[in-house]
Amino acid sequence: MSASAAGPPGVRIGDETVPWPTDDGPSGVVARADAAAGTGTAGPGTASPARLSLVQQVGRSFQGAYPDVRVLADHGRHLVVRTGELPPGVGEGEGLHWRVLPLEPGAVVVDRPAPQRRRWAPGAGELLDTLSEREYTDWLERLTAPHTRHSLRAGFTETAATAAAALAALGYDVAHEEITVGPVGRSENVVAHRHGSGPAPRRLVVLAAHLDAVNHADGPDGAAPGADDNASGAAGVLETGRVLAALDHHHDLRLILFGGEEQGLHGSRQHVAALAEPVRRRITAVVNLDMVARRNTAAPGVLIEGAPVSRALVDDLVAAAATWTDLTVSTSLNPFASDHVPFIDAGLPAVLTIEDNDRVNTDVHTAGDVLATLEPALALQILRMNLAVLAERLADPGAADRGAVRTEPSSR
């Protein structure tokens, strides 16, 4: 069959391929969607080209708001829908909770890269083995102890102080970076810095997670243990920071625990905006941990989300996962709604590492996001992947070059 006879290529999302539609449903529906978006002139009874759209959402926010929109492919954070079936006003929640983007035939929304192992610098495996599930779990328990870690409540401030003290005890230079949340709210980021041993100019590598939690149904004073979102990521920063504190690294390391993420990435946006240009130029990698301990798939999985500017960093993480973990890896170059986005918007190579396919995780932003729902062993796999790349980026250039030798595809 010829390509023209077969029609446009479909859209790929993970292991699924959604065929490109040959029509877009009732023309009146299409016209209303076009009119709402201000992108069409078609009226009732006028033909409209068939197309698909990508919906990116936090939790199940889009599906909760529009339960009648037919989903053609569901990868949790990413949905594929028919553009003509989107109702008027669909963009009203865009930005904080979801967004809708047009897709082109043949688009890859979520990729499944072939696992490709690499040879790493000597001692890499021993370093990864110093990650401790016991230490990580201890941090999970401490971070989820307050009634809520809402950015504007005392539980957040107390937890930030505890984390800052622990990082200072490890030898980091720690600062409390004041931020605004909304028109009058005040919160903070915890920023911990450790200078490398190499001569200037040194690169700067960043590991980050948001510390705050939220309960949408019950408000700022409702119970918000935020075990997966995002004690899991914050505990990952603290445990990885413990391991890296014992490493004599060549380049500079910065650990950040952001506030105000749940209200619109306030902590990360303000941190990036305040970066001096010489500091921005030194940043070569930003790894963001957000929701890394909820098992949503039969095999443990991770989604690595970046942008074209972070393609090399994504590839390094894919190789690290193949070499050092049993993770099934998905990748996406459509960044959305987490603290890697402000860095990417500034042209910096940043990625999000998040548990794969969170469609079954319905406890996000509720009182039900508790420790009992987590699988710390999954988080440790993701930490191993991240630590391998961070340690390589922090090493002197010669050591990094010697470690970056491709070998055979992994069978994992």
Side-chain angles (χ1 to χ4, degrees):
M1 180 181 294
S2 68
S4 58
V11 167
R12 186 151 57 86
I13 177 169
D15 295 324
E16 298 179 71
T17 297
V18 180
W20 197 260
T22 56
D23 64 81
D24 215 0
S27 59
V29 174
V30 177
R32 290 196 301 274
D34 284 345
T39 58
T41 59
T46 303
S48 181
R51 54 198 186 274
L52 300 174
S53 289
L54 166 65
V55 175
Q56 290 178 276
Q57 63 178 346
V58 176
R60 314 304 282 168
S61 55
F62 177 85
Q63 287 157 296
Y66 298 104
D68 295 331
V69 172
R70 181 171 50 133
V71 175
L72 303 181
D74 185 346
H75 202 262
R77 187 171 169 82
H78 302 85
L79 310 173
V80 175
V81 300
R82 291 172 67 117
T83 306
E85 295 179 5
L86 292 171
V90 72
E92 290 174 4
E94 190 167 330
L96 186 59
H97 302 299
W98 65 77
R99 70 173 178 179
V100 181
L101 299 174
L103 288 171
E104 297 295 331
V108 178
V109 175
V110 176
D111 200 8
R112 292 281 197 194
Q116 186 81 16
R117 303 186 72 183
R118 270 178 36 181
R119 185 180 305 137
W120 297 74
E126 289 82 353
L127 177 69
L128 303 189
D129 288 343
T130 62
L131 287 166
S132 166
E133 186 173 326
R134 181 184 61 79
E135 296 273 1
Y136 177 78
T137 302
D138 179 63
W139 269 116
L140 285 176
E141 293 172 352
R142 295 166 74 180
L143 295 176
T144 55
H147 177 70
T148 177
R149 290 193 318 281
H150 188 283
S151 296
L152 304 181
R153 294 297 182 265
F156 176 88
T157 305
E158 294 163 4
T159 306
T162 299
L167 291 169
L170 289 169
Y172 289 90
D173 297 325
V174 179
H176 295 265
E177 185 175 76
E178 185 175 338
I179 63 168
T180 59
V181 178
V184 296
R186 295 291 185 271
S187 191
E188 66 180 282
N189 300 327
V190 175
V191 182
H193 193 91
R194 190 165 187 267
H195 294 283
S197 59
R202 293 185 298 271
R203 298 193 297 252
L204 177 58
V205 175
V206 179
L207 176 65
H210 73 90
L211 185 60
D212 59 316
V214 72
N215 181 329
H216 284 323
D218 300 325
D221 293 311
D228 193 30
D229 188 17
N230 185 38
S232 67
V237 169
L238 292 163
E239 172 56 9
T240 306
R242 179 189 69 81
V243 172
L244 288 173
L247 184 67
D248 180 20
H249 47 81
H250 186 90
H251 295 287
D252 292 356
L253 170 65
R254 179 169 293 177
L255 310 178
I256 312 175
L257 297 174
F258 289 117
E261 192 268 358
E262 297 290 7
Q263 290 77 37
L265 311 184
H266 292 292
S268 54
R269 291 190 191 283
Q270 292 168 46
H271 177 83
V272 172
L275 289 173
E277 189 57 34
V279 176
R280 291 190 188 212
R281 288 197 299 266
R282 293 199 300 121
I283 295 175
T284 59
V286 180
V287 176
N288 175 37
L289 288 160
D290 195 350
M291 297 173 58
V292 294
R294 184 77 175 245
R295 178 81 167 266
N296 307 310
T297 52
V302 64
L303 171 66
I304 304 167
E305 181 181 286
V309 70
S310 41
R311 179 78 260 185
L313 182 56
V314 170
D315 290 344
D316 284 348
L317 288 163
V318 170
T323 307
W324 301 112
T325 80
D326 296 317
L327 293 167
T328 298
V329 177
S330 299
T331 63
S332 171
L333 297 180
N334 299 289
F336 178 64
S338 192
D339 289 314
H340 60 314
V341 173
F343 291 94
I344 289 173
D345 288 345
L348 298 170
V351 298
L352 165 69
T353 55
I354 185 171
E355 63 208 30
D356 197 23
N357 202 345
D358 61 351
R359 74 175 78 183
V360 300
N361 188 350
T362 58
D363 296 317
V364 175
H365 302 157
T366 76
D369 187 5
V370 296
L371 286 178
T373 66
L374 302 190
E375 186 175 308
L378 168 62
L380 262 289
Q381 292 269 303
I382 296 174
L383 296 192
R384 284 174 65 87
M385 174 190 73
N386 290 339
L387 177 57
V389 174
L390 292 169
E392 182 179 83
R393 293 296 182 102
L394 288 165
D396 74 86
D401 291 343
R402 288 192 297 273
V405 178
R406 297 276 178 186
T407 58
E408 295 302 314
S410 171
S411 59
R412 283 178 157 169

